[in-house]
Structure formats: structure tokens, C-alpha cells
Amino acid sequence: MMNTFIQNYLGNIIPVTFQIESGGEVSKIGEGEPEFTVKLTKELDKKALLTSTSLALGEAYMRGELDVDRDLYEVLDLFMGQMGKFTTDKSALKKIILTARNKKNQKKEVQSHYDIGNDFYKLWLDETMSYSCGYFRSEDDSLRQAQVNKTEHILEKLYLKEGMTLLDIGCGWGFLLKMAAEKYGVKGTGITLSEEQYRQFSREIEEKGLSDRLEVKLMDYRDLENSGMQFDRIVSVGMIEHVGRGNYGLFLKNAEKVLKPGGLFLLHYISALREHEGDAWIKKYIFPGGMIPSLREIINLLPDYNFYTLDVESLRRHYNRTLRCWRANFNDHREEIEKKMGTEFTRMWDLYLAACAATFHNGIIDLHQILMSKGVNNDLPMTRVV
């Protein structure tokens, strides 16, 4: 007989009618036509579910013990808005949720994700190798165009002029800095902890003949304040999520130390409505040590470092679409990825991309760009960049 605990547990967090198929039995939860069927080849563990909903379901999916008969994103989109009902035993998950924020450990955590291999990321990112939210100006925009749009949108907000200096904290593979140098004639410096990104960006700087305008450093953000460097503008895209709660002030302090008076800083990051320790499955398998700041906790810190907030913009729905594009690309190369990385890894990454897209769509997480100035800047245009 099918486990009634499992039926009740899943029925509590899934607000639509669905079916569970296990051991040759099919049980319907809810009234009306089922939206999808959960197929179990192994019964879910009660203790695991009560410790962490996301870990128990995520690991079962990775191992192929749980599957669904409908597109994974569509299924997750139906109930990811109910994540507040997920169970999380914080004491049992302490080592996963609360990791060390020291330099050595944070470098290890960053490299565990970004140094999987450039060849892997090239399979499903676009040609710009932008691993952050795109900006879809029209329904017809390709993923590549959306990433170009996003970069242009950021650079326009920074009001760049030829000869200005620009720092990119967490520069990735360097597309933003390359565009800034080529389009605006700025001198740029990128810092990253990823050796794979550092090597590729260094090589492309040489190949494009940009050595007189661009440089990339393997550098921790905490080393900025004693670097002696000064910049007219700073940008940071998708990096503060790796800093960790408790270090946001340190991050802002280091940015302030290298920004000239009146200089602009654009912070682009995944945000949350409320402060939260993070999802156990994501932190164990995808982003060890990752922490999503709320919008209000970052805004609240800015005055302490003489930063004046000029503009705040949400791109939440743009990230939903970006992730769905990435997932389509990923699954176009699924056979190749599975052959190289294994079935469990492939199912894990498909789940990551689908789940993130669903959480953005349901407003569990957001994406904000905050434009700020160091001290008062009265020289900027009075009208907002569209």
C-alpha cells in the first residue's frame, strides 16, 4: 500500500492536483484532472524529507529514483512558490548552510562551480560567455542579443567616457570589459578567483590586442583596499552572492576604497525579498557557500560606506527567460554532457537550471541592479537611463 505520509507531505507543498506512481500503484492527490505524475522507483525517505525537502527531492531526482511525466520546469513552476512550506532542519544541515567565509574556503567554493571547465560552459552559454541575467528588449531577441543588451544597459548606466578607468569585481570571462574598452575607450581591470576564467580572459586580451587597455587579475575582493588602485567606475555582476552574509559590509568597504569621489558603482546581483540562509540542495551541489542577499539589507548598508543610491531596477523576469534559454541549450547538448560528466551530474544541472527558472518566475528570488555614487554626484544627467 502506498505510503500515506509521502502523499500527505507532497500534497501539503504542491498546491495543484497530481498523481504519485509507486510500486505499480497510482494515487491521486487533490480534486480534478492531475497536472502531472510523480514516478517513484524507490520510496522517499521520511527522515530525509523532514531534514530537507529540497535535498530529499533533489537527490532522489538526481539518482533517477524520482521522475515526472511532464517537462521539469513546468512541474517545478507549479509549486516552487510554496518553498516557504519546505522543511529545513538547520541544526542537521549546519555544515552545508553555514560555511566558512575565509579567503581559502571561499576561493575553493567559487572554483568548485566556475572551474568545472570552459568547454562545459561553452556548450550552453551564448557566444559572449555571459553567465548572468540577460536583458530582452524584444520578444525576438536571441540569448546572445539579450546578453549584449544587458551589457550595454549596464555600461549606459555608468556614463562612461573615453579614458575612464573601470573595475569589474568578479569579471567572469570578460565580455563586459571587452565591450567597455572597444565601445567607450576605457581602461579596465577585472578580478576573479576562477583560474579557468582568468586564463581564457588573459588569452583573449592578447588575441584582441587590448593589452594597453585591459588587464585581469586572480584576486580576492578583500585585497582591493590595500591595492593602491583607483577607479572612476566599478561594476560587479553576480559576484556578491558568493561573499556571504556578514561580509557584505567588507565587500562595500573594499569597493569604496578604490572608487574615486563622485565615482559610480553598479551592483548587479540575485536578490531575495527576505533574508534567508539559502537552499540546502543548491548549497551542497551547485553553489557551495552561496548566499542571496535581500534588497533591503544591501540598501541599508550603503550609507555606511558613503554610497548614495541613484537607481534600482528589477530584472527578475529577464532571468527567468535567460535560464530557460540556458536550459534549452543544455538539453540540446545533453547526450554529450551525459557522456562526459555522467547521468547524475546531467540530471543535477538540468534540475538546477529548471528550478532556478521556476523560483524567479514565482518571485522567490529576484535580480536587482543598484546604481550608486560615492558621495554626491551632481554632474550626471537628471533623467533616468531607460
Side-chain angles (χ1 to χ4, degrees):
M1 189 173 177
M2 193 173 292
N3 191 318
T4 54
F5 169 80
I6 300 299
Q7 294 182 53
N8 292 335
Y9 187 91
L10 294 181
N12 182 55
I13 64 173
I14 299 174
V16 299
T17 300
F18 67 101
Q19 294 183 143
I20 303 176
E21 182 181 311
S22 179
E25 292 184 56
V26 177
S27 179
K28 188 174 81 167
I29 315 297
E31 301 295 327
E33 193 69 22
E35 295 277 356
F36 62 92
T37 299
V38 177
K39 298 181 178 182
L40 298 175
T41 58
K42 182 180 178 181
E43 192 171 280
L44 294 168
D45 182 79
K46 179 179 178 179
K47 183 180 178 181
L49 280 169
L50 292 175
T51 301
S52 170
T53 306
S54 63
L55 266 180
L57 297 181
E59 289 178 340
Y61 184 82
M62 286 162 57
R63 294 190 294 258
E65 297 165 1
L66 181 156
D67 217 329
V68 291
D69 68 345
R70 183 174 169 182
D71 178 75
L72 183 60
Y73 165 72
E74 293 178 2
V75 170
L76 293 170
D77 195 40
L78 291 170
F79 74 91
M80 290 303 274
Q82 305 294 310
M83 285 186 75
K85 295 181 179 180
F86 285 17
T87 50
T88 303
D89 184 339
K90 294 179 183 178
S91 60
L93 299 168
K94 191 175 181 180
K95 289 184 178 179
I96 295 173
I97 292 175
L98 301 173
T99 57
R101 298 196 303 267
N102 58 63
K103 284 185 181 181
K104 183 178 179 182
N105 192 59
Q106 289 195 314
K107 181 175 182 179
K108 179 182 175 184
E109 289 173 344
V110 167
Q111 290 181 342
S112 73
H113 186 89
Y114 296 97
D115 285 354
I116 291 173
N118 292 339
D119 289 343
F120 169 67
Y121 286 104
K122 284 176 183 175
L123 290 175
W124 52 274
L125 296 179
D126 68 292
E127 300 91 326
T128 72
M129 290 293 281
S130 297
Y131 190 18
S132 58
C133 176
Y135 187 56
F136 294 86
R137 292 186 186 276
S138 77
E139 282 297 314
D140 298 328
D141 282 348
S142 65
L143 176 60
R144 183 189 184 284
Q145 186 59 54
Q147 294 294 3
V148 171
N149 294 345
K150 182 269 303 292
T151 306
E152 288 178 338
H153 194 52
I154 289 173
L155 297 179
E156 285 170 3
K157 286 184 177 184
L158 288 171
Y159 298 101
L160 296 171
K161 295 179 181 177
E162 188 171 352
M164 278 186 172
T165 51
L166 171 65
L167 170 67
D168 188 344
I169 305 174
C171 63
W173 288 278
F175 180 71
L176 183 147
L177 282 175
K178 286 180 284 186
M179 181 179 282
E182 291 170 346
K183 185 173 181 178
Y184 291 94
V186 304
K187 293 188 175 181
T189 298
I191 66 170
T192 180
L193 290 177
S194 166
E195 293 183 2
E196 290 272 335
Q197 292 177 343
Y198 170 78
R199 281 193 289 268
Q200 180 167 319
F201 190 15
S202 297
R203 186 168 58 250
E204 290 187 3
I205 288 172
E206 291 292 329
E207 290 172 354
K208 290 179 175 289
L210 293 171
S211 299
D212 59 328
R213 281 183 276 173
L214 295 181
E215 65 175 341
V216 58
K217 299 174 182 285
L218 268 175
M219 185 179 185
D220 191 287
Y221 74 91
R222 282 166 278 211
D223 295 325
L224 286 170
E225 64 175 324
N226 296 316
S227 68
M229 296 188 290
Q230 286 285 288
F231 298 91
D232 298 296
R233 302 287 189 262
I234 298 177
V235 65
S236 186
V237 178
M239 184 274 175
I240 199 172
E241 300 92 317
H242 298 286
V243 165
R245 185 162 287 118
N247 276 2
Y248 302 143
L250 184 61
F251 174 82
L252 293 169
K253 176 188 175 186
N254 274 267
E256 188 273 336
K257 289 290 185 182
V258 295
L259 186 61
K260 295 176 184 178
L264 302 184
F265 177 18
L266 187 135
L267 181 64
H268 168 123
Y269 74 104
I270 297 171
S271 61
L273 186 66
R274 299 179 181 88
E275 299 72 36
H276 191 268
E277 291 87 354
D279 178 76
W281 183 82
I282 286 283
K283 296 187 88 162
K284 182 175 180 179
Y285 291 102
I286 307 297
F287 287 113
M291 186 76 72
I292 297 175
S294 69
L295 176 62
R296 65 186 175 189
E297 67 184 319
I298 298 300
I299 293 287
N300 188 55
L301 283 168
L302 298 183
D304 296 342
Y305 301 92
N306 198 29
F307 284 123
Y308 284 65
T309 303
L310 303 176
D311 187 71
V312 180
E313 182 179 14
S314 167
L315 300 182
R316 178 179 60 82
R317 288 182 291 173
H318 292 269
Y319 218 157
N320 168 264
R321 185 168 168 184
T322 302
L323 279 152
R324 287 187 287 120
C325 289
W326 286 343
R327 182 169 178 250
N329 290 346
F330 181 90
N331 283 312
D332 283 344
H333 295 277
R334 191 178 183 110
E335 188 176 327
E336 183 180 346
I337 294 169
E338 193 164 341
K339 186 176 180 180
K340 183 179 180 181
M341 310 295 282
T343 301
E344 190 168 306
F345 174 93
T346 305
R347 289 177 68 86
M348 176 180 78
W349 269 76
D350 185 33
L351 176 57
Y352 153 58
L353 295 170
C356 285
T359 51
F360 275 108
H361 193 238
N362 281 276
I364 299 299
I365 50 178
D366 208 319
L367 187 289
H368 280 98
Q369 288 185 351
I370 305 175
L371 180 67
M372 61 197 94
S373 62
K374 177 178 172 177
V376 174
N377 186 324
N378 290 324
D379 298 325
L380 300 174
M382 291 173 63
T383 53
R384 187 176 189 266
V385 170
V386 177

